[in-house]
Amino acid sequence: MKLASLKAGRDGKLVVVSNDLAWYADASHIAPTLQSALDDWDRVERDLRNLATDLGHDAIPKERFHEREAASPLPRAYQWADGSAYVNHVALVRQARGAELPDSFWHDPLMYQGGSDGFLAPRDPIPLADESWGCDMEAEVVVVTGDVPQGATREQALAAIRLVGLTNDVSLRNLIPGELAKGFGFFQSKPASAMSPVFVTPDALGDRWKDGKLSGALHVDYNGQPFGRADAGEDMTFDFGTLVAHAAKTRALVAGTIIGSGTVSNRDAGGGPGKPIAEGGLGYSCIAEIRMIETIQSGSPTTPFMKSGDTVRIWMEDEQHHPIFGVIEQVVNG
Amino acid sequence: MKLASLKAGRDGKLVVVSNDLAWYADASHIAPTLQSALDDWDRVERDLRNLATDLGHDAIPKERFHEREAASPLPRAYQWADGSAYVNHVALVRQARGAELPDSFWHDPLMYQGGSDGFLAPRDPIPLADESWGCDMEAEVVVVTGDVPQGATREQALAAIRLVGLTNDVSLRNLIPGELAKGFGFFQSKPASAMSPVFVTPDALGDRWKDGKLSGALHVDYNGQPFGRADAGEDMTFDFGTLVAHAAKTRALVAGTIIGSGTVSNRDAGGGPGKPIAEGGLGYSCIAEIRMIETIQSGSPTTPFMKSGDTVRIWMEDEQHHPIFGVIEQVVNG
C-alpha cells in the first residue's frame, strides 16, 4: 500500500496512491490525515488496504496523482530522529578531520533528535537565507513507526514499522562545527527537510525490504547530473529495527515517529572511499562526502556546497525503472 | 487566561481554568485541543478569552478543576527545544569537570532539540527502568509559541509567545557523558518530561512577565523537603525572545513549539555558587547542581540521584501563595 498527503491545511489530506503513482483515491473518509491513520492504525489499516485494492482493480473513482500536489506525507510530525547507520560515512567524516573513529561507533548507533515541526513538500524550494551557511543535501531512507513501548527489542521495533520512504535531510554544513563544539548537538544546522511524495508499507516493497533494510540504488542527481547511486541495502551497519530500538531505550515513541538512516554511503568495491559516478563509482548522497574524500586525497575540498538555483533530485526505482516513492525535486532558493 | 488539557485521547480536551485553579469550563466547542487552538489562535483567542471572563464572573456552568485529571497542556507537541539560559548553571557544570567556559557561552545561547512526542501528565510517575542511569529532575520555565517565521527578530519572537508554564525536564545524568562524547547531543539521556497542569497567557502574569522573563521563586521540593527556591527572573542570561529567535534562525517554528529556559539557577548573593536552603541559600532546581558544588568543594559528589519512591514537587506561587501554574508532583517509579 502506498500513502500520500495532498496539500491541504497544516496536515494534508490522506490519499491512497496506485503502485505506479499515476492515480489516487481519497482516503479522508477513513482517516483525514496520515497522522490520524497512524494514531488509529489497528482500526483503519484494513479499510485503507481495501481502498488500495479497489484502486488497483479500478473499482472506485480515482484521480490523477501529481507529485507536485503532494505535501510531505507527514507535513509536521511529533518526532524525527536521524541515525547515522552507514558508518562508512561517519568514518570518512572523522578521517577527513584527522580524528579516530571510536570502535564503539560500530556497535552503538549514533542518533540525533531532529526538528519535526515542519517538513518541506517534496517539490518545495529549499529556502536558504545565507549561502555562507554551506547548504548540503543528504539522501536517506526513513521509516515511520506505530507506538513503540519503552525498552522495545529489535524484533518489536521491526514489527512497529508502518511505512518506509525517503528524505532529503537538508544540512547547513558550515554551522555544524560551531554547534557541535558547544556540545548540545545539531539545531540551527538542521533546517526543514523534505520527504518523498509517497510512503510505502513494508509488505509492498517485496524483496527490497529485508531484515530492517531497504535495498536498491538511491538515485541522487545534482544539477541534472548523476551524483549518487549508492545501494541503501549495502554497508548499513545498523538496520532500522536496531535504530528504532535505540530510540526507544529510555522512553516510548509515539505513533508517527520518523526514524532516519543517516546519509546512505557505500564503500568502493576495493574497500576504500567511494568513487564519483563519472569514474565508475556509485557516487555520493551528500556533497560533504565528496568534500571529505577530496580533503583526504588532496588536503582540501574543491566541490562547493549548494548555491541559489542548484537543483537536487532524489528517488529509488523499481524493476521497471519507475520511482517507488516518487521523486524529491528541489531547487535552492537563496 | 489559564488553559489546561483534561486527560482524553492522545491530545487531551481543552478547558479554560479559573485564576485560582479551582474551576474549569469546557472549551472544546471552541477548539477541541490546545494544539488546535494554537493552530488557529487568531480566530479562537477572543472566544477563549470571553469564556475565561464568563468563568471568572460565574456566568456559565463550571466544574471543579482537579490537577490530577490534567494531562500536560500539550500531551504531545511538534517541537520541544530547551535552552540553557541560566549560564550560571552551565558555568558550574564546566567548573566541576575542570573545563573552561568559553566566553561565547555568554552571548550565543545553548539549545538542544528535545523529544516532543510524549509528555508525562503533571502527576504521572517518572518511569525509570534502571536506577544506574542517574535520574534527575530539572525545574524550568517554558513558553509556547505561535507560528514564528524563519529569521524572526527578538521582538517578533516575543510577540509570538502565546503561553507560559513550567516543566520538569527529566534527565538521565549517567547517560549524558557517553552521548555527548559521541557528539550528536542528547537522546537516550532525555526521557519524557512533565509540564505544569496549567499554561498561562503572558498578560495574565502581570508584572511577573517582563522583557521575556518570568520572575518569582521556582519552588522545588524533593522528598518533602524544600530543595530549590531560585528566582526565575534572576541570572537569566538569555530571555525567551532571544531563545525563540535563536531557534528560528534557520527555519520557521510551527505553532505549539515549546521552548524551555534550561534549569533555573541563581548565584549566591556573594557571587559564588548557590547555597542549600538549609544554609540560608536559594537551593537548586536539579540534583546535578548540588553535586557539582559538592565536587568543586570536596572533590566528589555526595548527594545521590533519584531512586524509586523519591518524590519531586515543582510550582510557582502568586502573592497569595497559590500556585500559578498548578503543581508538578511526581514519584520515581523504578
Side-chain angles (χ1 to χ4, degrees):
Chain A
M1 178 168 59
K2 299 192 174 188
L3 298 174
S5 296
L6 298 187
K7 291 177 184 175
R10 289 182 182 267
D11 294 300
K13 182 177 79 163
L14 182 64
V15 299
V16 169
V17 182
S18 61
N19 276 335
D20 62 1
L21 306 187
W23 302 97
Y24 77 84
D26 189 340
S28 60
H29 59 290
I30 299 171
T33 65
L34 179 54
Q35 180 64 51
S36 68
L38 291 160
D39 285 349
D40 214 6
W41 191 253
D42 289 343
R43 200 179 59 77
V44 303
E45 181 187 5
R46 199 177 59 179
D47 289 345
L48 291 173
R49 287 186 181 276
N50 287 343
L51 191 68
T53 303
D54 287 349
L55 178 64
H57 292 162
D58 231 354
I60 49 169
K62 61 186 186 182
E63 306 271 353
R64 270 284 174 195
F65 180 67
H66 298 293
E67 296 184 21
R68 66 175 183 275
E69 294 172 1
S72 277
L74 290 168
R76 53 181 180 173
Y78 293 106
Q79 179 150 247
W80 157 234
D82 197 11
S84 241
Y86 298 85
V87 179
N88 179 51
H89 172 79
V90 183
L92 287 171
V93 177
R94 296 270 169 157
Q95 193 182 343
R97 66 172 198 246
E100 286 285 309
L101 183 76
D103 185 60
S104 64
F105 278 38
W106 295 99
H107 312 294
D108 179 33
L110 270 178
M111 183 173 283
Y112 72 89
Q113 190 88 51
S116 59
D117 63 317
F119 294 107
L120 302 174
R123 302 293 164 92
D124 274 353
I126 299 169
L128 180 62
D130 188 339
E131 279 188 11
S132 76
W133 290 343
C135 184
D136 196 2
M137 81 282 260
E138 293 191 49
E140 309 189 2
V141 180
V142 298
V143 299
V144 180
T145 73
D147 290 302
V148 181
Q150 185 268 319
T153 62
R154 171 176 172 271
E155 287 67 33
Q156 290 172 315
L158 276 177
I161 293 174
R162 302 275 176 264
L163 299 165
V164 181
L166 306 179
T167 190
N168 177 17
D169 178 46
V170 181
S171 294
L172 301 172
R173 298 290 184 188
N174 293 338
L175 301 185
I176 289 180
E179 288 207 309
L180 294 196
K182 294 200 290 183
F184 273 25
F186 309 101
F187 196 97
Q188 294 176 337
S189 50
K190 292 286 183 178
S193 295
M195 302 281 163
S196 54
V198 169
F199 281 180
V200 181
T201 53
D203 61 281
L205 294 164
D207 291 343
R208 288 179 178 275
W209 179 255
K210 197 174 168 193
D211 295 334
K213 298 182 184 182
L214 179 69
S215 293
L218 185 58
H219 292 242
V220 182
D221 279 7
Y222 180 38
N223 290 332
Q225 299 299 314
F227 187 77
R229 298 290 185 268
D231 191 309
E234 298 292 323
D235 298 321
M236 189 185 193
T237 305
F238 305 105
D239 71 284
F240 277 107
T242 302
L243 293 176
V244 172
H246 179 87
K249 182 182 173 188
T250 63
R251 57 187 170 93
L253 311 179
V254 85
T257 287
I258 307 172
I259 302 284
S261 67
T263 303
V264 174
S265 173
N266 287 170
R267 282 186 202 84
D268 189 55
K275 291 192 183 70
I277 290 175
E279 297 173 21
L282 294 173
Y284 315 101
S285 302
C286 66
I287 295 172
E289 191 157 315
I290 189 169
R291 286 170 57 90
M292 292 184 289
I293 291 169
E294 289 163 352
T295 301
I296 293 165
Q297 292 178 341
S298 68
S300 63
T302 52
T303 304
F305 288 121
M306 298 174 90
K307 53 194 184 307
S308 193
D310 280 0
T311 60
V312 56
R313 299 181 84 235
I314 296 170
W315 75 102
M316 189 178 273
E317 298 180 354
D318 65 16
E319 282 63 29
Q320 290 76 43
H321 300 293
H322 293 140
I324 300 172
F325 307 97
V327 181
I328 299 171
E329 189 172 325
Q330 302 187 273
V331 59
V332 176
N333 199 350
Chain B
M1 178 167 60
K2 298 191 175 190
L3 299 173
S5 296
L6 299 186
K7 291 176 184 174
R10 290 183 181 265
D11 294 299
K13 183 177 79 165
L14 182 64
V15 299
V16 168
V17 182
S18 62
N19 277 335
D20 62 1
L21 307 189
W23 304 95
Y24 78 84
D26 189 339
S28 59
H29 58 290
I30 300 170
T33 66
L34 179 54
Q35 180 63 51
S36 67
L38 291 159
D39 285 348
D40 213 7
W41 190 253
D42 289 342
R43 199 180 60 77
V44 304
E45 181 186 7
R46 199 177 61 178
D47 289 345
L48 290 173
R49 287 187 180 276
N50 287 343
L51 190 69
T53 303
D54 287 348
L55 178 64
H57 292 164
D58 232 354
I60 48 169
K62 61 185 186 182
E63 306 272 353
R64 270 283 175 195
F65 180 67
H66 298 293
E67 297 183 20
R68 66 174 183 277
E69 294 172 1
S72 278
L74 290 167
R76 52 182 180 172
Y78 293 106
Q79 179 151 247
W80 157 234
D82 196 11
S84 240
Y86 299 85
V87 179
N88 179 51
H89 172 80
V90 183
L92 286 171
V93 177
R94 296 269 168 160
Q95 194 182 343
R97 65 171 197 244
E100 286 285 309
L101 184 75
D103 186 61
S104 65
F105 278 39
W106 295 100
H107 312 294
D108 179 33
L110 269 178
M111 183 172 284
Y112 72 88
Q113 189 88 50
S116 59
D117 63 318
F119 294 107
L120 302 173
R123 302 294 164 93
D124 274 353
I126 300 169
L128 181 61
D130 187 337
E131 279 188 11
S132 75
W133 290 343
C135 184
D136 196 1
M137 80 282 260
E138 291 190 50
E140 309 189 1
V141 180
V142 298
V143 299
V144 180
T145 74
D147 290 303
V148 181
Q150 186 268 320
T153 64
R154 172 177 171 270
E155 287 65 33
Q156 289 171 314
L158 276 176
I161 292 174
R162 301 276 175 264
L163 298 166
V164 181
L166 306 178
T167 190
N168 177 17
D169 178 47
V170 181
S171 294
L172 301 173
R173 297 290 185 189
N174 293 338
L175 301 186
I176 289 180
E179 287 207 309
L180 295 197
K182 293 200 290 182
F184 273 26
F186 309 101
F187 196 97
Q188 294 177 337
S189 50
K190 292 285 183 179
S193 295
M195 301 281 162
S196 54
V198 169
F199 282 0
V200 180
T201 53
D203 61 281
L205 293 164
D207 292 342
R208 290 177 176 274
W209 179 255
K210 197 175 168 191
D211 294 334
K213 299 181 184 183
L214 179 70
S215 293
L218 184 58
H219 292 241
V220 182
D221 279 7
Y222 180 37
N223 289 333
Q225 300 297 314
F227 187 77
R229 296 292 185 268
D231 192 309
E234 298 292 324
D235 298 322
M236 189 185 194
T237 305
F238 305 105
D239 72 284
F240 277 108
T242 303
L243 293 177
V244 172
H246 179 87
K249 182 181 173 189
T250 61
R251 57 186 169 94
L253 311 178
V254 85
T257 287
I258 308 173
I259 302 284
S261 67
T263 304
V264 174
S265 172
N266 287 171
R267 283 186 200 83
D268 191 54
K275 291 192 183 71
I277 290 174
E279 296 172 22
L282 294 173
Y284 315 101
S285 302
C286 66
I287 295 173
E289 190 155 316
I290 188 169
R291 287 170 57 92
M292 292 183 290
I293 291 169
E294 289 163 352
T295 301
I296 292 165
Q297 292 178 343
S298 68
S300 64
T302 53
T303 305
F305 289 121
M306 298 175 90
K307 54 193 182 308
S308 193
D310 279 1
T311 61
V312 57
R313 297 181 85 235
I314 295 170
W315 75 103
M316 188 178 273
E317 298 180 354
D318 65 17
E319 283 62 29
Q320 290 76 43
H321 300 294
H322 294 140
I324 299 172
F325 307 97
V327 181
I328 298 171
E329 190 173 326
Q330 301 188 274
V331 59
V332 176
N333 199 350

